[in-house]
């Protein structure tokens, strides 16, 4: 019995005349996620993309990977059969036997794209539903809240029989909304922010600041592991590891302690501006949540944003910690984020940071650092580029 995967596009159907180009990007992304599993065939048909796997492919693995591709609202494995009711009934009984034997209620839906098919949709539902009730006599029909919805799709060349849809990653295909640079730390928030913006079609460039010997190699490995988790959804992430020790020591030596964190974040923004511009990015992304820590008050964010050359996207800004943790568990970054390897954001943390800083005071504190522009230039030139991707992406 031939089996394929049917992919539902979700909000791409709203793209009007541009829809085809969005679907092409989605197919490209799906092909990239599956490329090490063989040569797949993708066919666009209305709001569905049919995915045909090469012989011998592990469809469980295929389905799991497609479940992480942004732009897919839902997907399902389906059996292919001839366009006649005898074949449809036989296929449904065999293909869905395991699924139907474990539930108590079902309903049948029919989608008749081929209007030449002799039976109309209600007639298909009645005939198939009756045949399934005879075969699985423990079942009852529930049209409102069934355990399994058996769907028959009558298309141009074949019919497809499937069970319940599986919810996909949703969002927009990666790369359809431009590029942005995400400031990535080893904490819980920034990987979540990266994931959330990638879900809206952003192609990610990551910027991480390392301060050896104050931060360890294990802290850097932790960040790379977090990016691999995110890349399972959005593909390869170009990553820059910026040497930040000299700048942090200068902040410690020349700036008032209460402004350490604010000056540090402003300099991080300046460096990220340069990398973003070099990488054709059009925005920056951070994991800040309003009021979560002293450097994330509305006053502190104003001081940080004043040096940003691009829009700063903060998808976590209105979320509390529990909500952010919930997303981090969903994308499997939480356990990595809580590993006890500190990043540079915790180096030289002030005991009493300013929560209502005035921009002119922060600028005055920053101006005390001699040769800052030269240090920023050296940090950018010294950044090490890596290409981070999850296995099979």
């Amino acid at each position: 019995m031939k089996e394929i995967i049917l992919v539902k596009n979700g909000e791409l159907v709203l793209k009007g005349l541009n829809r085809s180009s969005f679907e092409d990007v989605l197919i490209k992304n799906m092909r990239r996620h599956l490329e090490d599993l063989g040569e797949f065939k993708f066919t666009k048909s209305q709001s569905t993309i049919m995915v045909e796997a090469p012989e011998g492919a592990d469809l469980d693995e295929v389905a799991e990977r497609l479940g992480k591709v942004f732009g897919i609202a839902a997907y399902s494995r389906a059996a292919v059969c001839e366009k006649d009711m005898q074949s449809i009934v036989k296929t449904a009984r065999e293909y869905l036997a395991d699924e139907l034997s474990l539930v108590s209620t079902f309903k049948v839906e029919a989608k008749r794209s081929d209007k030449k098919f002799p039976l109309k949709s209600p007639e298909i539902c009645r005939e198939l539903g009756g045949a399934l009730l005879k075969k699985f006599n423990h079942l009852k029909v529930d049209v409102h809240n069934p355990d399994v919805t058996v769907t028959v799709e009558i298309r141009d060349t074949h019919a497809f029989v499937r069970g319940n849809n599986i919810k996909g990653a949703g969002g927009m295909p990666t790369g359809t909304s431009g590029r942005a640079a995400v400031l990535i730390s080893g904490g819980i928030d920034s990987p979540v922010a990266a994931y959330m913006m990638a879900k809206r079609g952003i192609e990610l460039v990551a910027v991480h600041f390392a301060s050896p010997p104050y931060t360890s190699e294990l802290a850097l490995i932790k960040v790379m592991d977090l990016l691999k988790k995110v890349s399972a959804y959005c593909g390869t992430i170009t990553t820059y590891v910026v040497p930040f020790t000299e700048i942090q020591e200068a902040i410690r030596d020349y700036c008032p302690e209460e402004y350490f964190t604010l000056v540090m974040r402003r300099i991080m923004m300046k460096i990220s501006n340069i990398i973003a511009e070099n990488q054709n990015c059009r925005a920056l992304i951070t994991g800040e949540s309003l009021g979560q820590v002293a450097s994330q008050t509305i006053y502190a964010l104003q001081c940080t944003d004043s040096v940003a050359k691009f829009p700063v996207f903060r998808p976590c800004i209105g979320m509390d910690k529990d909500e952010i943790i919930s997303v981090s568990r969903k994308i499997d970054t939480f356990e990595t984020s809580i590993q006890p390897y500190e990043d540079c954001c915790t180096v030289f943390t002030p005991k009493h940071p300013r929560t209502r800083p005035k921009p002119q005071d922060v600028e005055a504190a920053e101006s005390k650092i001699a040769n800052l522009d030269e240090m920023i230039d050296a940090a950018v030139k010294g950044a090490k580029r890596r290409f981070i991707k999850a296995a099979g992406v």
Side-chain angles (χ1 to χ4, degrees), residues 184-243:
I184 190 86
S185 71
I188 297 171
D189 304 343
S190 57
V192 169
Y195 162 84
M196 293 174 70
M197 294 312 306
K199 187 175 181 179
R200 297 312 306 159
I202 290 289
E203 180 183 351
L204 298 174
V205 173
V207 183
H208 175 68
F209 296 87
S211 295
Y214 306 106
T215 59
S216 68
E217 183 66 20
L218 289 174
L220 179 59
I221 292 172
K222 171 184 172 181
V223 171
M224 298 302 110
D225 288 343
L226 288 170
L227 289 172
K228 287 179 183 178
K229 300 282 189 182
V230 177
S231 74
Y233 293 88
C234 63
T236 302
I237 301 174
T238 303
T239 303
Y240 288 85
V241 180
V242 179

Side-chain angles (χ1 to χ4, degrees), residues 6 74-78 95-96 99-100 103 105-107 109 145-151 161-167:
L6 299 176
Y75 62 98
S76 60
R77 293 167 64 163
Y95 183 64
L96 299 174
E99 193 170 353
L100 292 174
V103 300
T105 62
F106 81 110
K107 74 172 181 178
E109 290 184 349
N145 189 31
D147 296 322
V148 173
T149 298
V150 177
T151 303
V161 177
R162 60 179 173 85
N164 288 336
N165 274 329
I166 303 170
K167 187 176 181 181

Side-chain angles (χ1 to χ4, degrees), residues 72-123:
I72 296 177
Y75 62 98
S76 60
R77 293 167 64 163
V80 183
C81 63
E82 297 300 319
K83 293 196 302 182
D84 63 77
M85 283 308 302
Q86 184 178 354
S87 178
I88 291 170
V89 168
K90 181 176 183 295
T91 300
R93 282 176 163 179
E94 294 177 0
Y95 183 64
L96 299 174
D98 291 342
E99 193 170 353
L100 292 174
S101 65
L102 297 174
V103 300
S104 58
T105 62
F106 81 110
K107 74 172 181 178
V108 178
E109 290 184 349
K111 299 180 180 181
R112 191 174 60 114
S113 300
D114 180 6
K115 302 304 180 184
K116 295 179 181 179
F117 191 77
L119 299 182
K120 295 182 179 179
S121 294
E123 295 169 329

Side-chain angles (χ1 to χ4, degrees), residues 257-260 294 349-355:
E257 182 183 355
E258 60 190 340
Y259 294 119
F260 278 3
T349 302
K351 294 180 180 179
H352 303 289
R354 280 292 182 96
T355 58

Side-chain angles (χ1 to χ4, degrees), residues 318-371:
M319 301 170 68
D320 62 31
K321 201 65 178 182
D322 286 342
E323 292 170 318
I324 297 172
I325 289 173
S326 177
V327 178
S328 73
R329 291 188 185 279
K330 172 185 172 182
I331 63 175
D332 193 30
T333 57
F334 179 73
E335 295 299 330
T336 303
S337 291
I338 62 174
Q339 291 176 4
Y341 309 122
E342 296 183 333
D343 56 50
C344 69
C345 294
T346 59
V347 176
F348 311 137
T349 302
K351 294 180 180 179
H352 303 289
R354 280 292 182 96
T355 58
R356 293 195 174 194
K358 295 179 180 179
Q360 61 270 26
D361 294 337
V362 179
E363 292 168 7
E366 183 182 305
S367 68
K368 296 180 182 294
I369 303 174
N371 303 316

